[in-house]
């Protein structure tokens, strides 16, 4: 591990790119997920007062709940829109420019949030949440692709996991700023919701000093001098001709292949197992039960004797646990491997869910059982943050070749946001009907994903996308051979030839 830290320290521009891209990228995603919990009572009060003054109508509880649910879930709609638009925008404008332009969406949303209380308009919060969702959906793809393409191959896993680290940092930031000692008050909550605008300004003031993705400059724009200049700025004034030649070899292998659409990616039989991997991993990311565990944590903490006014600080503990584990994952991922962490993480989560279901069932019968449940909650968060949280986001950029990357991220982000929206809509029903036995549903997804990744996905560490494509072919050659036509075989032989040259 020290050698990887040394390699990263030798690339200060890559470190700067991690922070500049992250603070205006997936930090926004994590922050927007957690920030609505603290000011919920104040926002509902604004909705009631607005309707009373504007329409002379006092809302019933179910009406207020409906408006609140829409206000929360519209963020997922915006995220889905941003994820769908990401592919074409990233291919057209580039990774860095998309990140920069995306900040103006967040700033517009932040202005609406800050002015909502003064204007007595909860609709401004809805529009702001929609804009935040678009910003997060686009930023999730743009940041991940930008960092994976800017990082040296040996550091790609370590740099890619920072995407998850900034999500965890955003969640913890939303929890921390939401306490009453900071911005979680009746007077200051609009500034809490508008904090995304300040982080967007930070990215706007730092990211312009960093170069565009070298891969985008060479493979999409065909600008070799700009690519070499970007590599020197990112990796130091060394001879990077081998890296350029490696990317050129990929360009030669794919020279007749334009940037592909989502439909073309799905229909390409040579990409079948890469597609299945994306569907399984990103489907499980939202259906693994992490949101359910956070939801039940308050009941567990109450049963363990924590006073109601101290629950917010206990919630800070869960966010801090995820953040610290994500940082630890950053330190070990190059040694352990991304696929290993993914499979172990999901299997560990599945085992923990079984034990958590048992302890929740017994906590009304045995006095010390709530403490076991509390420990299991932190263990579950540990397994999630040590694998799926950090290793999932960069995966499409590693297992897909350049022509398919943007389409792959469009699929991945669409699955992520759709899963988050569906879970938000059906989770209250699951809790009402099944109570803590709803964990058994999440147990299924954790088990399936963990076993699938373990036996069907090759390790991506220190491999190019073309090498990974060959490894997918080798692992599944028996099932694929009868379905690959002659032209497809010729394309794969081209990849094999390139791989031997490396």
């Amino acid at each position: 591990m020290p050698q990887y830290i040394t390699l990263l320290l030798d690339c200060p521009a890559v470190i700067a790119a991690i922070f500049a891209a992250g603070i205006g990228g997936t930090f926004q995603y994590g922050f927007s997920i957690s920030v609505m919990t603290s000011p919920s009572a104040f926002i509902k009060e604004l909705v009631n007062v607005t309707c009373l003054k504007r329409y002379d109508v006092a809302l019933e509880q179910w009406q207020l709940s409906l408006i609140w649910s829409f206000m929360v879930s519209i963020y997922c709609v915006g995220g889905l829109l941003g994820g769908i638009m990401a592919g074409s925008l990233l291919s057209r404008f580039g990774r860095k420019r998309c990140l920069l332009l995306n900040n103006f969406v967040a700033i517009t949303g932040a202005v609406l949030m800050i002015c909502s209380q003064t204007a007595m308009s909860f609709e401004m919060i809805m529009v702001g949440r929609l804009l935040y969702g678009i910003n997060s959906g686009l930023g999730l793809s743009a940041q991940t692709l930008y960092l994976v393409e800017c990082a040296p191959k040996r550091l790609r896993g370590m740099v890619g996991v920072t995407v998850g680290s900034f999500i965890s940092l955003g969640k913890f930031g939303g929890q921390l700023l939401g306490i009453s000692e900071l911005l979680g008050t009746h007077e200051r909550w609009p500034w809490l919701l508008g904090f995304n605008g300040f982080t967007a300004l930070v990215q706007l003031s730092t990211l312009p000093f960093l170069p565009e993705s070298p891969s985008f400059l060479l493979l999409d724009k065909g600008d070799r001098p700009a690519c070499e200049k970007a590599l020197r700025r990112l990796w130091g004034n060394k001879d990077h001709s081998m890296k350029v030649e490696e990317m050129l070899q990929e360009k030669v292998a794919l020279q007749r292949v334009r940037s592909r659409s989502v439909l073309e990616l799905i229909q390409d039989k040579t990409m079948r197992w890469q597609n299945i991997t994306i569907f399984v991993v990103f489907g499980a990311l939202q259906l693994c039960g992490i949101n359910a565990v956070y939801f039940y944590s308050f009941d567990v903490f109450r049963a363990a004797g924590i006073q109601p006014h101290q629950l917010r600080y206990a919630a800070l503990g869960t966010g801090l646990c995820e953040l610290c584990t994500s940082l630890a994952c950053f330190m070990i991922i190059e040694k352990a491997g991304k696929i290993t962490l993914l499979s172990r993480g999901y299997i560990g989560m599945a085992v923990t869910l079984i034990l958590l279901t048992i302890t929740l069932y017994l906590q009304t019968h045995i006095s010390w059982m709530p403490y076991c449940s509390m420990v299991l909650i932190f263990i579950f968060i540990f397994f999630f943050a040590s694998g799926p949280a950090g290793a999932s986001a960069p995966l499409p950029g590693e297992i897909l070749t350049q022509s398919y990357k943007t389409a792959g991220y469009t699929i991945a982000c669409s699955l992520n946001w759709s899963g988050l929206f569906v879970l938000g809509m059906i989770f209250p029903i699951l809790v009402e009907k099944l109570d803590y036995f709803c964990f058994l549903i999440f147990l299924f997804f954790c088990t399936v994903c963990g076993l699938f990744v373990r036996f069907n996905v090759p390790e991506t560490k220190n491999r190019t996308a073309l090498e990974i494509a060959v490894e997918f072919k080798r692992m599944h050659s028996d099932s694929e051979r009868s379905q690959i036509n002659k032209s497809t075989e010729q394309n794969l032989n081209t990849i094999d030839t390139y791989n031997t040259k490396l």
Side-chain angles (χ1 to χ4, degrees):
M1 180 49 58
Q3 69 270 24
Y4 293 110
I5 298 296
T6 303
L7 286 172
L8 184 60
L9 292 176
D10 287 338
C11 305
V14 174
I15 298 176
I18 290 172
F19 284 94
I23 197 66
T26 50
F27 178 90
Q28 307 277 43
Y29 173 74
F31 189 88
S32 297
I33 287 177
S34 66
V35 74
M36 293 292 283
T37 303
S38 174
S40 59
F42 306 129
I43 296 173
K44 290 177 182 178
E45 179 184 348
L46 175 65
V47 174
N48 261 326
V49 172
T50 301
C51 290
L52 192 61
K53 287 188 176 182
R54 189 186 299 170
Y55 308 113
D56 196 25
V57 173
L59 295 177
E60 297 182 20
Q61 184 59 42
W62 70 268
Q63 294 172 316
L64 183 61
S65 299
L66 182 63
I67 294 174
W68 170 253
S69 298
F70 181 77
M71 194 178 294
V72 173
S73 60
I74 198 173
Y75 174 72
C76 301
V77 176
L80 182 59
L81 292 175
I84 293 173
M85 294 187 299
S88 59
L89 293 176
L90 288 169
S91 297
R92 182 177 180 182
F93 296 108
R95 292 49 162 148
K96 174 185 170 182
R97 188 177 297 179
C98 273
L99 282 169
L100 290 173
L101 295 175
N102 196 32
N103 287 303
F104 294 102
V105 179
I107 292 172
T108 303
V111 171
L112 292 173
M113 294 291 194
I114 293 171
C115 297
S116 60
Q117 187 179 37
T118 304
M120 293 295 293
S121 173
F122 63 87
E123 296 89 350
M124 294 173 70
I125 300 178
M126 291 182 178
V127 177
R129 288 283 291 176
L130 178 67
L131 293 175
Y132 279 175
I134 295 173
N135 169 266
S136 297
L138 180 56
L140 182 61
S141 297
Q143 178 196 343
T144 306
L145 200 52
Y146 178 68
L147 291 182
V148 168
E149 293 180 350
C150 284
K153 185 168 66 173
R154 294 187 64 188
L155 297 177
R156 192 174 56 192
M158 178 182 284
V159 172
V161 81
T162 61
V163 174
S165 298
F166 274 94
I167 293 177
S168 301
L169 180 61
K171 290 180 181 179
F172 179 70
Q175 294 171 336
L176 179 62
L177 292 177
I179 63 176
S180 57
E181 289 81 357
L182 295 176
L183 298 179
T185 65
H186 190 275
E187 296 78 20
R188 296 191 290 267
W189 67 263
W191 294 95
L192 173 65
L193 297 185
F195 187 78
N196 298 60
F198 294 101
T199 57
L201 289 173
V202 172
Q203 187 178 85
L204 275 175
S205 62
T206 55
L207 192 59
F209 296 101
L210 295 166
E212 178 57 272
S213 155
S215 296
F216 174 79
L217 292 171
L218 183 64
L219 300 180
D220 290 81
K221 294 298 183 182
D223 192 343
R224 178 166 181 165
C227 172
E228 293 176 343
K229 182 180 179 181
L231 287 173
R232 287 193 297 271
R233 290 181 63 187
L234 287 167
W235 302 352
N237 292 318
K238 303 175 184 178
D239 183 13
H240 302 298
S241 57
M242 290 297 295
K243 175 60 179 177
V244 175
E245 290 300 323
E246 182 181 290
M247 288 191 288
L248 285 174
Q249 288 284 358
E250 180 178 351
K251 187 174 183 180
V252 169
L254 303 171
Q255 60 184 348
R256 292 187 177 90
V257 181
R258 55 181 170 77
S259 183
R260 299 297 185 94
S261 67
V262 171
L263 183 59
E264 289 173 318
L265 173 57
I266 294 175
Q267 291 176 339
D268 191 337
K269 292 182 180 180
T270 66
M271 293 286 115
R272 173 175 299 174
W273 285 99
Q274 287 91 324
N275 284 330
I276 294 175
T277 300
I278 292 173
F279 274 92
V280 171
V281 170
F282 282 86
L285 190 60
Q286 292 299 336
L287 300 175
C288 65
I290 184 64
N291 296 308
V293 168
Y294 272 119
F295 175 83
Y296 268 98
S297 63
F298 286 91
D299 290 335
V300 171
F301 293 151
R302 288 192 193 98
I306 297 177
Q307 298 300 315
H309 66 278
Q310 295 177 323
L311 287 174
R312 56 188 176 181
Y313 302 108
L316 276 178
T318 60
L320 186 61
C321 174
E322 182 175 340
L323 176 60
C324 293
T325 308
S326 181
L327 294 176
C329 179
F330 168 79
M331 302 294 293
I332 66 172
I333 192 166
E334 289 295 348
K335 182 178 180 181
K338 186 178 280 83
I339 302 305
T340 301
L341 289 180
L342 264 178
S343 59
R344 289 179 180 177
Y346 276 118
I347 295 300
M349 291 164 67
V351 174
T352 307
L353 284 177
I354 295 174
L355 298 176
L356 184 59
T357 303
I358 295 173
T359 57
L360 287 173
Y361 175 76
L362 295 176
Q363 71 177 5
T364 56
H365 301 85
I366 304 175
S367 61
W368 47 266
M369 198 57 70
Y371 299 100
C372 295
S373 301
M374 187 164 59
V375 172
L376 288 170
I377 284 174
F378 283 97
I379 292 175
F380 184 87
I381 294 172
F382 168 81
F383 278 120
F384 174 76
S386 64
S392 299
L395 198 60
E398 296 184 352
I399 66 176
L400 297 174
T401 54
Q402 187 74 13
S403 60
Y404 283 119
K405 283 183 180 180
T406 54
Y409 273 110
T410 300
I411 295 174
C413 290
S414 298
L415 286 169
N416 178 70
W417 290 106
S418 299
L420 188 61
F421 178 77
V422 170
L423 187 65
M425 297 300 294
I426 68 172
F427 181 66
I429 300 174
L430 291 177
V431 172
E432 181 180 349
K433 300 296 183 181
L434 301 176
D435 203 9
Y436 45 78
F437 287 108
C438 68
F439 287 133
L440 298 179
I441 299 175
F442 303 124
L443 167 65
F444 169 78
F445 289 102
C446 288
T447 305
V448 168
C449 187
L451 294 177
F452 175 85
V453 171
R454 171 67 179 81
F455 295 106
N456 294 282
V457 183
E459 182 53 64
T460 62
K461 182 174 63 174
N462 294 332
R463 287 176 174 171
T464 65
L466 293 174
E467 291 171 331
I468 295 169
V470 173
E471 187 63 18
F472 265 113
K473 178 192 172 185
R474 186 193 65 78
M475 292 179 68
H476 304 289
S477 58
D478 292 337
S479 60
E480 296 291 326
R481 188 176 292 114
S482 61
Q483 301 180 38
I484 298 179
N485 57 33
K486 185 176 179 180
S487 62
T488 301
E489 284 287 351
Q490 291 174 348
N491 288 336
L492 288 173
N493 287 336
T494 301
I495 294 174
D496 282 329
T497 303
Y498 161 71
N499 188 44
T500 58
K501 292 179 179 179
L502 294 178

